[in-house]
Amino acid sequence: MKQGFARALGGVSLVVALTLAMPVSAQSLGICFTGSGKAAIHDCTRKINLGRLESKALAIAYYNRGFEYKENTDQFDLAIEDFNRALRINPSYTSAYMHRGDAYRRAGNFERAIADFDRALQLDPKNKYREYATEGRDKAREKIKN
């Protein structure tokens, strides 16, 4: 009986060890929640630092943390860094271009904002958030005129 129990525990340990070594998908980790500022930033940072996210999930984690920096802390430089990281992983991440464009606009870098909004619209002209990108681009163009 003891031997069978030890063997079973050894099997459990092996399963746990293999599970911990496997990359984690965005869905299974519930990639850092948004809309909660510092708590979400902390959650995203923790998940990024685990080093277990697959590339798509890692891009999402950087994007989510960048979004939180932009929307809830006004730390546009940190937001832009995270959007840059997400875009290095996934160069066709339309939402990352849109929100990096908004971070650039809000930080006063209107030329880069326009370029990002244009890139987002070019990548996905039928995006349901097209109006967001168009409005952001128009606001940046207006600031350049003034």
Side-chain angles (χ1 to χ4, degrees):
M1 178 92 160
K2 285 183 181 180
Q3 190 176 19
F5 183 70
R7 205 173 309 163
L9 283 180
V12 170
S13 297
L14 178 61
V15 169
V16 170
L18 289 174
T19 301
L20 291 174
M22 294 172 62
V24 180
S25 70
Q27 188 173 23
S28 67
L29 250 188
I31 291 302
C32 33
F33 51 92
T34 58
S36 59
K38 290 180 183 179
I41 291 168
H42 175 75
D43 189 43
C44 289
T45 300
R46 185 178 58 78
K47 289 176 180 174
I48 289 165
N49 290 340
L50 284 174
R52 295 177 43 223
L53 296 175
E54 296 171 351
S55 62
K56 184 177 180 181
L58 184 59
I60 292 168
Y62 279 124
Y63 167 82
N64 285 351
R65 188 173 71 178
F67 182 87
E68 293 300 325
Y69 279 130
K70 177 180 74 89
E71 291 298 319
N72 295 311
T73 70
D74 291 338
Q75 293 180 308
F76 304 121
D77 56 335
L78 295 176
I80 290 165
E81 285 178 31
D82 277 349
F83 294 134
N84 288 342
R85 289 179 181 118
L87 288 164
R88 275 195 293 276
I89 296 166
N90 180 1
S92 60
Y93 200 159
T94 306
S95 294
Y97 280 107
M98 285 193 293
H99 287 285
R100 186 177 71 176
D102 189 45
Y104 277 134
R105 181 187 62 79
R106 291 167 68 180
N109 191 335
F110 305 117
E111 291 83 10
R112 291 190 106 170
I114 292 167
D116 274 357
F117 288 129
D118 283 343
R119 181 68 178 139
L121 291 167
Q122 177 187 31
L123 282 171
D124 190 2
K126 296 181 181 180
N127 186 299
K128 66 180 179 179
Y129 300 110
R130 176 181 174 76
E131 190 176 307
Y132 178 87
T134 304
E135 182 181 319
R137 182 183 60 191
D138 292 347
K139 285 180 181 179
R141 285 181 177 160
E142 189 62 36
K143 288 288 188 180
I144 290 173
K145 286 181 186 178
N146 293 333

